[in-house]
Amino acid sequence: MPTETERCIESLLAVFQRYAGREGDNCTLSKREFLAFMNTELAAFTKNQKDPGVVDRMMKKLDLNSDGQLDFQEFLNLIGGIAVACHNSLVVKAPGP
Ligand SMILES: [Ca+2]
């Protein structure tokens, strides 16, 4: 039986591969694959964005080597950033001692 942490890693890999495998290089997310990922998997976030260019700019910021694709490391930077933001908002919201 995998642990909870191992299952989380497996899930991240599976989601990345599912979207990366849609077109072109199946080890990276193209802009279209990234948009599909954002609109499906992070729809709550995407829907709240009034600026339609925000996902575009996120892609540019995440694409550290500027090859127009997001590899798994670049994708993890996004997940890590969101996780940290969630953690921080929980810490701020949590009642003090
Ligand atoms: Ca890249």
Side-chain angles (χ1 to χ4, degrees), residues 63-71 74:
D63 184 12
L64 294 178
N65 63 358
S66 301
D67 64 352
Q69 304 278 322
L70 297 183
D71 59 28
E74 291 165 335

Side-chain angles (χ1 to χ4, degrees), residues 10-11 15 17 26 34 42-43 47 56 60 64 66-67 72 75 80 89-90 92 94 97:
E10 267 177 36
S11 296
V15 167
Q17 284 165 1
N26 62 7
F34 178 62
L42 293 173
K47 269 188 208 131
D56 257 36
K60 281 205 184 80
L64 294 178
S66 301
D67 64 352
F72 190 59
F75 172 78
S89 73
L90 287 174
V92 170

Side-chain angles (χ1 to χ4, degrees), residues 1-60:
M1 275 290 283
T3 65
E4 188 179 8
T5 305
E6 288 164 346
R7 281 203 306 275
C8 287
I9 294 170
E10 267 177 36
S11 296
L12 283 173
L13 277 165
V15 167
F16 179 80
Q17 284 165 1
R18 188 181 325 139
Y19 286 89
R22 288 186 169 198
E23 62 177 23
D25 189 335
N26 62 7
C27 292
T28 60
L29 293 175
S30 66
K31 196 166 166 180
R32 275 208 303 204
E33 288 166 339
F34 178 62
L35 279 171
F37 165 78
M38 290 300 292
N39 289 329
T40 310
E41 303 290 333
L42 293 173
F45 170 83
T46 316
K47 269 188 208 131
N48 287 329
Q49 301 302 320
K50 292 190 177 75
D51 178 359
V54 71
V55 176
D56 257 36
R57 286 199 299 279
M58 281 176 74
M59 169 108 191
K60 281 205 184 80

